[in-house]
Amino acid sequence: MKHNRNSVPERRWFLGVAIMAMVGAAVFITVMIITSDSSFICSTEHIYGEMPRAQARAQEDYNPTTIQIKAILHYATTRIVPQQSLAEIKISFDVLKSMGRPCNFLVFGLGHDSLMWASLNPGGTTLFLEEDPKWVQTVLKDAPSLRAHTVQYRTRLKNADQLLLSYRSEPACGPVRTRLRGNVECELALHNLPDQVYETEWDLVMIDAPKGYFPDAPGRMAAVFSAAVMARGRKGSGVTHVFLHDVDRRVEKTYAEEFLCRKYLVRGVGRLWHFEIPPSNDSDSSVRFC
């Protein structure tokens, strides 16, 4: 086979041009994102008012341009893509954009899409909860700007049906004034999360973890329950947007209908359901979530 002696220089030239074009595109797109829609990236006064001063100072050092460029470069140079489809991702993106301010965004699961979620919420707080400490270290090694905590789950997928039958007999699991922090009596309550999770009112909650596809996996029962409690306990105005992925699986669907409620389901695309859950009324004496 003949070799073109000019092929190597040509390839190097082509690679250089491609890299420069990609970097230029990244900068251009990022600037467009930042400057084209003031309703998406706006003053952070609202969020500062609800956050501790230390966290507000951390936000002042947060550079949305940097994380957006990193996200664009990352996804432009990798074959590993987010597990949600474009149509599913667009639901959350549209909500983030419609909020008109930086948001508090809690995500169950740390993975290949985490840099994307953080870049879609510039100026806001995006926090990831992950079950596997080693995986947290792996992800943060390549994306140290992400904020993540490890979570210990008490549940197992094989016990999902029994938990659903028995939780109503445990007063600590009831829908009225249920707490999460320190709630060891209710097995579905995530009782040992970092203080930041309990002290922040989350505008959006994405449930795409923990693992829920083999019997000894934690399953997403506690994540769904805890998201419902957070949403119902909201003190500020407006609803909490809860997104649940993998609703094609029986446990996710069943727990969503039990705790997130069909009446609050506003949209579903592919394997993703989007709920808008209002705060519970102080006079509410219901014995069930839905």
Side-chain angles (χ1 to χ4, degrees):
M1 179 177 177
K2 292 184 179 180
H3 296 277
N4 187 342
R5 60 184 177 183
N6 295 324
S7 62
V8 174
E10 288 177 357
R11 289 175 183 172
R12 290 177 178 172
W13 176 85
F14 178 78
L15 179 60
V17 171
I19 292 174
M20 291 298 295
M22 183 175 63
V23 172
V27 174
F28 174 77
I29 294 172
T30 300
V31 171
M32 290 296 293
I33 291 174
I34 294 174
T35 60
S36 65
D37 194 343
S38 60
S39 68
F40 186 29
I41 305 171
C42 59
S43 171
T44 56
E45 291 179 0
H46 175 89
I47 200 168
Y48 284 3
E50 296 180 356
M51 298 168 62
R53 290 184 178 180
Q55 192 173 347
R57 287 196 298 270
Q59 291 290 5
E60 291 175 359
D61 296 331
Y62 183 86
N63 187 343
T65 304
T66 300
I67 196 167
Q68 288 175 336
I69 288 179
K70 284 182 178 179
I72 293 171
L73 290 175
H74 170 76
Y75 292 111
T77 57
T78 181
R79 294 182 178 180
I80 302 175
V81 297
Q83 67 182 75
Q84 292 189 26
S85 69
L86 177 60
E88 292 168 344
I89 292 170
K90 192 175 184 301
I91 291 182
S92 307
F93 172 74
D94 287 345
V95 172
L96 283 165
K97 189 174 181 179
S98 70
M99 296 294 286
R101 58 176 173 80
C103 298
N104 294 332
F105 190 8
L106 181 66
V107 183
F108 285 87
L110 183 70
H112 301 300
D113 55 359
S114 297
L115 195 58
M116 176 192 67
W117 294 130
S119 69
L120 293 181
N121 186 32
T125 296
T126 305
L127 181 66
F128 300 90
L129 301 179
E130 171 58 39
E131 62 187 290
D132 187 346
K134 292 183 179 179
W135 180 241
V136 171
Q137 295 176 3
T138 299
V139 174
L140 295 187
K141 182 179 179 180
D142 295 329
S145 60
L146 296 179
R147 301 163 184 169
H149 295 292
T150 56
V151 182
Q152 294 181 342
Y153 291 90
R154 296 182 286 171
T155 57
R156 292 294 176 265
L157 184 64
K158 61 187 177 184
N159 300 326
D161 292 338
Q162 180 58 37
L163 283 170
L164 198 62
L165 291 173
S166 62
Y167 90 91
R168 295 191 194 117
S169 62
E170 173 52 66
C173 292
V176 180
R177 292 183 292 277
T178 300
R179 74 185 194 282
L180 294 178
R181 179 161 37 192
N183 188 354
V184 296
E185 294 85 4
C186 179
E187 196 171 351
L188 287 171
L190 292 175
H191 70 292
N192 57 352
L193 298 175
D195 289 341
Q196 181 186 9
V197 179
Y198 301 123
E199 294 169 0
T200 303
E201 290 209 335
W202 300 102
D203 302 302
L204 299 90
V205 180
M206 172 69 70
I207 305 172
D208 207 358
K211 297 182 183 69
Y213 52 86
F214 57 93
D216 285 324
R220 298 181 186 172
M221 300 84 70
V224 172
F225 175 87
S226 297
V229 172
M230 292 178 192
R232 292 172 61 87
R234 184 181 182 89
K235 302 301 181 185
S237 61
V239 300
T240 301
H241 298 270
V242 178
F243 309 90
L244 176 62
H245 199 226
D246 297 317
V247 293
D248 55 317
R249 302 195 301 214
R250 184 181 64 84
V251 169
E252 276 81 353
K253 183 177 181 180
T254 301
Y255 271 72
E257 292 176 336
E258 181 72 23
F259 298 110
L260 303 179
C261 309
R262 278 274 185 179
K263 63 183 178 181
Y264 299 139
L265 177 63
V266 295
R267 192 176 179 190
V269 172
R271 296 181 294 148
L272 185 81
W273 278 356
H274 169 207
F275 299 83
E276 293 181 358
I277 303 178
S280 62
N281 193 311
D282 290 338
S283 60
D284 187 5
S285 59
S286 303
V287 296
R288 300 188 63 172
F289 282 76
C290 300

